[in-house]
Each structure stands twice: as structure tokens, then as C-alpha cells.
Amino acid sequence: MKPRKETFVQIVDDYVQEKRAIGYRFDKGPRTLRRIVDIQREIDHGAPRLSRELVDRWIEKTPWENETNRSRRISVLRGLGEYMVRMGYDAIIVPKRLTIVKDYDYIPYIFSDRELGELLGTVDQLCATGISTHSDLVFPVVFRILIGCGSRITETLQIEKKDVDVENGTLSLRNTKNRKERIIPMSESLVHRCREYVCNSQSISSFNSSQWFFPNKKSTPYNSGTVYCLYRKALRLSGISHGGRGKGPRLHDVRHTFAVRVLNKWVRDGKNLTTALPYLAIYMGHEGLTAGQHYLRLTAVMFPELIETVEKEYGWIIPEAYHEGD
């Protein structure tokens, strides 16, 4: 049933409200949409439709803009057209080939379940040899938090003892990138490892004298560089090829992998991603939905059998201008 709307302006206002309701900041989009409204008023006199004439005029390249800016401008109209068709209006959708903008060159590496298992096993073996003070206790738990919770390495290393609630199975991240505290759940197996870690660390003076959950021998948090060196060595011994500086897989790709695995499960379970993506954004500590949308695209790429479902059900969520990074 076609919704009760009378003017193009009302449709555009509803579109902006929907974008913001599902987590977009959508600051620049409304300015572009106001220009579209002005042209639509001239061509279609404010009627509730998106005509071919308007689309043809809008996609023309102006003398003062480059292809990237043109593509971004066009992507706004494409998003509006998809919304109007979804809501039952007469609208022309801009072809996808005109709107793709690639902002980053790096494509995250998504680890398979087997690779994650091998990586953890190798970390355990390396730590057992005594890389640093009680490393056999610290780093296996650090890597399990990275893999099981999707936290950033800096957030993880700056967890305080008071932040780990083994009774309720939660982890508080206070020292975060966006300065917003997050409380995230832990699996039963991770809670068990944290309990073991605390119990086995009681005899270590640096642990007892420190506020930090993962203190080094000076009772201060470990440097992320120490973890990265261990990670690179574990990759090599696990047979996971590294492309060199800037090529990956980066340590941060463990976090990307977590997000893609969550989305993979949600898609398979038939969850409504329109409402679920904002929760993922909050859980991961993102400001908006851009990263979540990119993860959705990666989910379709990494799990080909889900492509049809993702494109059919949630293609409208994914902007054509996409980011290959977090």
C-alpha cells in the first residue's frame, strides 16, 4: 500500500529521518538533498516522484568537480531513489556503476575459524617459552579478548582490574578511542580464562601492585608494539602469509574478523539488520554505521552463499560510497 505522502519535500524529510534513526550522522546529505529538491520543484513541481529527467540532469558532470565528488553527489540521489521505490513511489534509481567511490586502498583480512584456532595455539606455545614476565599468563588472555570481544588492542591493554567482572561475565572498556565507556559480554570460556589468569597471577608482585589487569614488570600496561611483535611471529609460525608493511593481515584485522563473524551469524539467523546494525556500532565503539555497512559488504564477499540474501534484503543499507577501513 502506497504511503500517504503528498509532496517530494515530505518524502525527502522522511528519508533523512530514517537515515538518522538507523545510526547515520548524515550531516552533508541533507545539503545535497536540498539542491535536489530545488531541481525537482523546477522539473516535477514537487510531485511525489523521481523522474528520468531529474536523474539525467543530476548525473551530468559539472566543469568544476572531479569524478570522486560527482560520484558522492550521485550516491545521495541513488539512496533517495532506492528509498522511494522501497516505499512504493514512482522513482528512477541511479545505476550502481555511477556511484562507487573507494576511499581506502586497504582491504581487511578476514581470518577463518581454522586460522584463528592456529593463531591462538601458536601464541600459547610462544608464551610458554617465557617471552617476558609471566607472558605465559598475559598474552593468551589478551588474544582471546581480541578475538572473542572485537576490542581494539589499546583498549584491551588498558583494562583495569575493576573492569573485569567475572561474576556477571562482562568487560568494561573505559580507555577507548572515542572516550565512550562500553560494557561488553564475555563467553563462558573467556570468563573461565580470566578467572584462571587472576588466580595464577596472585603470586606475581607486578600484578598485585598494579591497577591494570595486564601489567608488565613495571606494573604499567604493555605497549601495543610488544603484542604486535608476538602477533607477527605467531602469524609466521602458523603459516599465515603476511604481505609486509601496510599489506596485512594487521593485528586490527582480528577486530574486523569479529564484526564480520557477528554479521554472518545474524544474516544466517534471519535477524533484521536494519535494527541490529546500530547495536553492532555501539558494541564496537563506532561513531556511526559506516564501518558496519562495510562489514556487511565483507560478509557477503567472504560468505558467497549469503550474497543473494544480503543484496536482496539489505542492499539499501549499504552506501555505494564505501570505506575499506575502520
Side-chain angles (χ1 to χ4, degrees), residues 33-81:
L33 287 168
R34 283 197 293 271
R35 292 165 55 197
I36 294 173
V37 167
D38 289 340
I39 296 174
Q40 201 272 352
R41 186 179 294 115
E42 175 189 339
I43 295 174
D44 295 317
H45 311 290
R49 65 172 179 268
L50 195 58
S51 66
R52 171 68 65 183
E53 184 179 353
L54 185 151
V55 169
D56 287 344
R57 182 186 297 190
W58 187 257
I59 66 177
E60 290 180 358
K61 186 178 184 299
T62 62
W64 56 82
E65 68 181 346
N66 57 37
E67 284 299 331
T68 297
N69 289 336
R70 173 176 176 252
S71 181
R72 287 173 175 160
R73 174 172 61 80
I74 292 174
S75 71
V76 175
L77 185 62
R78 175 176 167 81
L80 175 61

Side-chain angles (χ1 to χ4, degrees), residues 72 75 99-104 106-107 290 293-294 297-298 318-325:
R72 287 173 175 160
S75 71
T99 59
I100 295 179
V101 177
K102 188 175 179 179
D103 285 341
Y104 300 103
Y106 181 80
I107 300 177
T290 300
Q293 295 153 358
H294 180 53
R297 187 183 297 277
L298 283 175
I318 311 173
E320 300 309 325
Y322 64 96
H323 297 267
E324 293 187 346

Side-chain angles (χ1 to χ4, degrees), residues 154-190:
T154 51
E155 296 172 341
T156 304
L157 294 177
Q158 295 189 44
I159 293 172
E160 299 183 36
K161 290 177 180 175
K162 64 182 180 181
D163 298 333
V164 183
D165 186 346
V166 294
E167 296 302 320
N168 295 310
T170 60
L171 189 65
S172 297
L173 300 178
R174 305 176 192 276
N175 301 297
T176 65
K177 179 179 178 180
N178 298 318
R179 299 181 181 181
K180 292 182 180 179
E181 180 180 344
R182 310 198 307 277
I183 299 177
I184 58 180
M186 296 185 289
S187 66
E188 289 186 12
S189 60
L190 182 54

Side-chain angles (χ1 to χ4, degrees), residues 295-309:
Y295 292 145
L296 185 56
R297 187 183 297 277
L298 283 175
T299 300
V301 172
M302 296 305 299
F303 303 95
E305 70 276 15
L306 298 181
I307 288 179
E308 184 177 352
T309 299

Side-chain angles (χ1 to χ4, degrees), residues 27-250:
D27 294 330
K28 297 179 180 179
R31 293 198 294 270
T32 302
L33 287 168
R34 283 197 293 271
R35 292 165 55 197
I36 294 173
V37 167
D38 289 340
I39 296 174
Q40 201 272 352
R41 186 179 294 115
E42 175 189 339
I43 295 174
D44 295 317
H45 311 290
R49 65 172 179 268
L50 195 58
S51 66
R52 171 68 65 183
E53 184 179 353
L54 185 151
V55 169
D56 287 344
R57 182 186 297 190
W58 187 257
I59 66 177
E60 290 180 358
K61 186 178 184 299
T62 62
W64 56 82
E65 68 181 346
N66 57 37
E67 284 299 331
T68 297
N69 289 336
R70 173 176 176 252
S71 181
R72 287 173 175 160
R73 174 172 61 80
I74 292 174
S75 71
V76 175
L77 185 62
R78 175 176 167 81
L80 175 61
E82 290 181 324
Y83 168 80
M84 291 181 66
V85 169
R86 180 159 51 84
M87 299 302 291
Y89 293 106
D90 178 18
I92 299 296
I93 299 177
V94 178
K96 182 183 295 187
R97 59 183 172 78
L98 297 177
T99 59
I100 295 179
V101 177
K102 188 175 179 179
D103 285 341
Y104 300 103
D105 291 330
Y106 181 80
I107 300 177
Y109 185 93
I110 306 302
F111 291 90
S112 67
D113 291 349
R114 178 186 60 79
E115 289 174 328
L116 290 176
E118 291 179 352
L119 186 64
L120 276 180
T122 304
V123 167
D124 290 348
Q125 293 176 12
L126 287 171
C127 290
T129 63
I131 294 175
S132 60
T133 304
H134 73 288
S135 64
D136 58 320
L137 300 176
V138 171
F139 295 121
V141 181
V142 167
F143 273 87
R144 282 168 171 80
I145 289 177
L146 294 177
I147 292 173
C149 298
S151 55
R152 299 178 177 92
I153 181 58
T154 51
E155 296 172 341
T156 304
L157 294 177
Q158 295 189 44
I159 293 172
E160 299 183 36
K161 290 177 180 175
K162 64 182 180 181
D163 298 333
V164 183
D165 186 346
V166 294
E167 296 302 320
N168 295 310
T170 60
L171 189 65
S172 297
L173 300 178
R174 305 176 192 276
N175 301 297
T176 65
K177 179 179 178 180
N178 298 318
R179 299 181 181 181
K180 292 182 180 179
E181 180 180 344
R182 310 198 307 277
I183 299 177
I184 58 180
M186 296 185 289
S187 66
E188 289 186 12
S189 60
L190 182 54
V191 171
H192 178 70
R193 289 297 296 244
C194 288
R195 285 199 186 99
E196 282 190 335
Y197 167 74
V198 172
C199 181
N200 294 329
S201 297
Q202 295 301 319
S203 60
I204 300 173
S205 59
S206 59
F207 179 83
N208 292 324
S209 62
S210 178
Q211 72 188 78
W212 306 103
F213 196 62
F214 299 118
N216 57 23
K217 62 182 179 181
K218 297 180 181 180
S219 298
T220 59
Y222 276 94
N223 186 284
S224 59
T226 303
V227 181
Y228 179 72
C229 288
L230 175 60
Y231 167 74
R232 284 293 300 272
K233 184 177 290 187
L235 279 182
R236 178 171 55 81
L237 295 177
S238 299
I240 302 173
S241 177
H242 192 282
R245 185 176 179 82
K247 301 294 183 180
R250 306 171 302 178

